Amino acid sequence: MTELLKISLPDGSVREVPQGSTPADIAAAIGPGLAKAAIAARVDGELRDLARPFEGDAQLALVTARDEADALELARHDYAHVLAEAVQALFPGTQITFGPATDDGFYYDVKAPESREPFGMDDLPTIEEEMRRIIRADKPLTREMWSRQQLIDKWEAEGETFKAEWAKELPEGEELTVYWSGPPRQENSWLDMCRGPHLPSTGKLDPDAFKLMRVAGAYWRGDQNNAQLTRIYGTGWLNKKQLQAHLTRLEEAAKRDHRKLGREMDLFHLQEEAHGSVFWHPKGYRIWRELESYMRRKMDGGGYREIKTPQLMDVRQWTQSGHWGKYAQNMFAVPDIVPDVDEESGVASPKVADDAAWMAIKPMNCPAHVMVFKQGITSYRDLPIRLGEMGCCHRNEPHGALHGLMRVRQFTQDDAHIFCTEAQVVGEVQAFIALADSVYRDFGFTYDIKLALRPEKRFGSEADWDKAEQELRDALTANGLEWEELPGEGAFYAPKLEWHLTDAIGRTWQVGTIQSDRVLPERLDAHYIGEDGEKHRPVMLHRAIFGSYERFIGILIEHFAGKLPTWLAPVQAVVATIVSDADPYADDMANQLRAAGIRVETDTRNEKINYKVREHSLAKVPHLLVVGKREAEEGTVAVRTLGAEHQKVMPLAEAIAMLKAEGTPPDIA
């Protein structure tokens, strides 16, 4: 008799099935409803095709559309393959490369036939219709194993030079996974090389739940020396309702784009002469200053002492810390330049000194803070020492990665490092968790916390990593919090907690972190004198709440759609006159408001009040204080609050009190 396989199900039951059985067979045996709903399977935790036979006894969990994370990943993967099939069906001679799923959709890189221009936006509606035809055809997706040579022969015969090149670099004798769209080896069936898994058929996709969004240039293997391809981007979902919700979010996000609002509100600009660095205008820098003052109060209250450290340090210092070996490609480094003066003309030109030391602009503040800690002798009685810095850093981000305030080359962190004993770590992390919570709640954010664990390439012993990871878990548990763990995503020197904020339209932003580090104190020889009179290494906690001022301001602009809380708004009120007779009253009002600490401007231009209302609404001024002859005579003001339907008329003293209350930062109120 053939030996039966034992397949364990999530409910604890075990089914015995013949060899060659598949997850689809078990779904059918359980019931027709499950057989119809199942789209994939997790076999011993690995996501697989429903039709892939079991190789032995296994744990099985059937995947349906209710398992949204898995279902979305599968659907987006399949949308990408349907896209490639559609392009080749419409435009014979198109070469395909690869196309993965993304966070909200998919893309595929293709090379148009030599007979036509690269694909553009005008091609997308036609490609979408062909994709829908393929989906409605409900073509089976069938997995096969091919030899490396089989694939090379096929790709070369069909002129698929990119696929052939990829296959040739794989080890000889290796079997590769391919998938047929349609019955294998039939005339209208389509083949691609892919690890899978896939849905059982194209019909499992919703033809109304995807949309092709845009095209962009790309290079084969990301190398600009290689052939240029066209990358076609799409968004894909499980149903039409999800797609529409996503498109609505995109429309809302476009309205909230901090770059657009930054121009309209006159906050900042960027230009080519300083790629990745921000030119802050007075109004934008006022937001910065308010945030900086707020954070200083928080850090002062938390027992931090503020320091300032150099921008340039010898590369040897970065080599000792380990950053030069791990991070040099993202650092700006310069040799020590000396002036070479021509004695006759007196003109000076730069010259690299013969014994020049290479200097690096700091990409982070950590090594410099260790240097401050190491000055003098530190006793265990002095710990914990909390050193904070509004530290300006530079990182050599690629031009293509730069994005407004969200991804820059020059940025300032609300950075701090806590030097403490082993016994103090959990308590210090707990205190930071509470501090971060108070900050994010002041801005109206909710958040999730994630624990990023040891990466494959790292410094430090396994014992130290075990200890550091567990300390972070213990602090979270002590604060009664839940968290998600991210294997392999820690820094090369430490695990870290990450705060992922959720904004007003449901997007998430990774902002604050705290890292528990035993590596840098060792590499930079930081120590304190313990109770036993001997030298001991401190634990170094790296922490930030805003992350960077630039990015946090960008997030705030988009979260509030430019309508910042009154305490943070660069201009909190504008006094606008209806008639010139009210100008003296407007000036007097403004002086009283300024005396109360309110940031106010006057608008006494000879323009209609509706024009003024529109202009200041576009600038997102929280309150417009409208005055005419009547208000001047009665000592009142008509208050138009941004976003409100109706204005309120009130005595000037009441308006001042209201604005003063709204303009008080939440940590002071």
Side-chain angles (χ1 to χ4, degrees), residues 273-445:
E273 286 79 359
H275 265 302
S277 297
V278 184
F279 292 82
W280 289 101
H281 299 187
K283 290 179 181 177
Y285 198 56
R286 168 55 71 177
I287 298 171
W288 182 300
R289 288 174 58 193
E290 291 301 317
L291 286 174
E292 199 170 52
S293 296
Y294 167 89
M295 184 54 69
R296 279 201 168 95
R297 291 191 298 272
K298 286 288 188 179
M299 292 176 72
D300 288 347
Y304 292 84
R305 290 178 283 173
E306 189 171 353
I307 60 175
K308 194 70 177 171
T309 60
Q311 285 289 299
L312 279 171
M313 292 199 302
D314 195 303
V315 163
R316 287 171 292 189
Q317 180 67 28
W318 297 103
T319 301
Q320 186 180 351
S321 71
H323 290 92
W324 190 249
K326 294 281 186 180
Y327 207 71
Q329 71 276 14
N330 293 105
M331 295 174 66
F332 292 101
V334 294
D336 192 5
I337 302 293
V338 297
D340 183 18
V341 181
D342 184 277
E343 293 183 1
E344 292 185 9
S345 65
V347 175
S349 57
K351 177 184 177 183
V352 179
D354 294 337
D355 57 348
W358 278 82
M359 307 292 286
I361 305 175
K362 66 176 179 181
M364 53 201 68
N365 303 297
C366 333
H369 286 204
V370 176
M371 291 178 174
V372 173
F373 174 81
K374 288 173 62 176
Q375 295 301 301
I377 298 173
T378 300
S379 165
Y380 71 95
R381 294 187 183 88
D382 302 320
L383 302 181
I385 291 175
R386 306 179 189 97
L387 300 178
E389 179 174 10
M390 306 304 175
C392 181
C393 300
H394 291 76
R395 295 181 186 174
N396 190 11
E397 302 284 1
H399 280 226
L402 300 175
H403 177 72
L405 300 179
M406 303 304 193
R407 191 82 176 265
V408 292
R409 285 178 163 177
Q410 177 184 296
F411 57 94
T412 298
Q413 297 177 305
D414 64 311
D415 205 4
H417 296 88
I418 302 167
F419 298 88
C420 60
T421 67
E422 299 268 350
Q424 293 169 335
V425 171
V426 173
E428 287 298 310
V429 176
Q430 280 186 262
F432 175 76
I433 290 171
L435 178 61
D437 177 77
S438 72
V439 171
Y440 298 140
R441 291 189 185 280
D442 280 347
F443 292 95
F445 287 115

Side-chain angles (χ1 to χ4, degrees), residues 121 188 232 513:
M121 292 294 292
N188 293 324
I232 303 176
T513 64

Side-chain angles (χ1 to χ4, degrees), residues 184-236:
R185 296 173 190 79
Q186 289 196 8
E187 184 178 348
N188 293 324
S189 294
W190 183 80
L191 182 78
D192 197 7
M193 175 171 61
C194 178
R195 291 179 181 175
H198 282 276
L199 297 169
S201 68
T202 61
K204 293 290 185 181
L205 296 169
D206 186 335
D208 297 317
F210 80 94
K211 181 176 178 58
L212 299 184
M213 304 297 289
R214 60 190 176 94
V215 298
Y219 292 103
W220 170 234
R221 295 185 161 183
D223 186 339
Q224 63 182 0
N225 296 314
N226 291 340
Q228 186 162 16
L229 310 171
T230 300
R231 178 168 294 176
I232 303 176
Y233 286 94
T235 186

Side-chain angles (χ1 to χ4, degrees), residues 448-452 486 489 496-500 510-514:
D448 293 308
I449 297 177
K450 301 185 181 183
L451 171 54
L486 305 175
E489 298 200 16
K496 60 180 176 176
L497 297 181
E498 301 175 346
W499 275 255
H500 294 253
Q510 196 270 299
V511 182
T513 64
I514 187 166

